[in-house]
Amino acid sequence: NGVTTGTAGAGGAGRTIIRYTGTTAQSVATGTYTTTTVGGDTIVTYSTVGTHTFAPISGCNGGCNLTITAGNVNFGSTIGATTALGALSVNATNGFILPTTIAGSLTATGQTSLNGNITTTPSGNVSFNSPVILINNSTINAGSGTVTFANTINGANNLSVNAGTISFGGAVGGTTALGDSAFTSTNALNLSQNITASSILARTTGAASDITIAATRSLTASGAGNAITLASGRNFINNS
């Protein structure tokens, strides 16, 4: 449909999709862009150089979906603070820092540094497709949704994950041990990777939900006392 050219302040009904075609990211606040409206979605395309600063975009509220693809992405404040976003997808070649986020779902590609809590409403999925680094204490609440860590998790901060299903694709604390870690799943919980942290809590709340430690995997906690706690809704299966 219509294509317009101007400077920052893109909006519109439906989703806002950010597409960057240059080699160095630029500022949403000052750069030139083109917008295309397709089926109620606003597609914003940037091509000039500069620094990506998405502080204005973090003010996107009211359930709109946001897709960002760039080399560098910097969020200036809490995402979805007034009204949760819809689906948030970030693909940052050079990695990015993710602040406190409230959205319908989250997909993160590129090394992700967690600097706050993540909440999906009502029960959306959270997918980390690349390594995760904890630069602050973080809690992820996904309701009955699925939280997927497709790669490693590191950082000497606390991590609490609450979801319907939690899956691991890389070592947890393998390079830098986590602080206090807690993984609470409604469904069965497969501890398929090594976990190293100050303390480890693994818990399932479903009446038929087992906890399984996979073959050759181990849980290592450096804290005193009951540093490792396994609380299963049904069975505990140790294949290690």
Side-chain angles (χ1 to χ4, degrees), residues 220-238:
T220 304
S222 60
N226 298 322
I228 298 178
T229 303
L230 304 177
S232 175
R234 188 172 65 173
N235 298 319
F236 169 61
I237 304 170
N238 184 6

Side-chain angles (χ1 to χ4, degrees), residues 180-199:
D180 296 327
S181 64
F183 305 100
T184 301
S185 174
T186 305
N187 301 315
L189 179 59
N190 183 15
L191 303 177
S192 60
Q193 303 294 327
N194 295 331
I195 300 177
T196 305
S198 177
S199 68

Side-chain angles (χ1 to χ4, degrees), residues 8-96:
R15 299 181 297 176
T16 300
I17 302 173
I18 309 297
R19 291 178 178 167
Y20 176 66
T21 59
T23 57
T24 305
Q26 73 154 57
S27 172
V28 173
T30 60
T32 300
Y33 64 82
T34 61
T35 65
T36 308
T37 302
V38 179
D41 294 341
T42 300
I43 301 174
V44 185
T45 301
Y46 292 84
S47 58
T48 56
V49 299
T51 301
H52 252 310
T53 303
F54 279 99
I57 296 300
S58 67
C60 174
N61 289 289
C64 58
N65 297 341
L66 177 62
T67 299
I68 302 168
T69 300
N72 302 283
V73 178
N74 300 312
F75 292 99
S77 61
T78 298
I79 301 170
T82 303
T83 304
L85 269 67
L88 172 62
S89 178
V90 182
N91 187 337
T93 304
N94 298 325
F96 65 102

Side-chain angles (χ1 to χ4, degrees), residues 86-88 103-108 118-128 140-148 163-165:
L88 172 62
S105 65
L106 169 67
T107 301
I118 297 171
T119 302
T120 58
T121 58
S123 293
N125 298 331
V126 177
S127 299
F128 297 102
I140 301 173
N141 289 312
S144 60
T146 297
V147 175
T148 302
T165 302

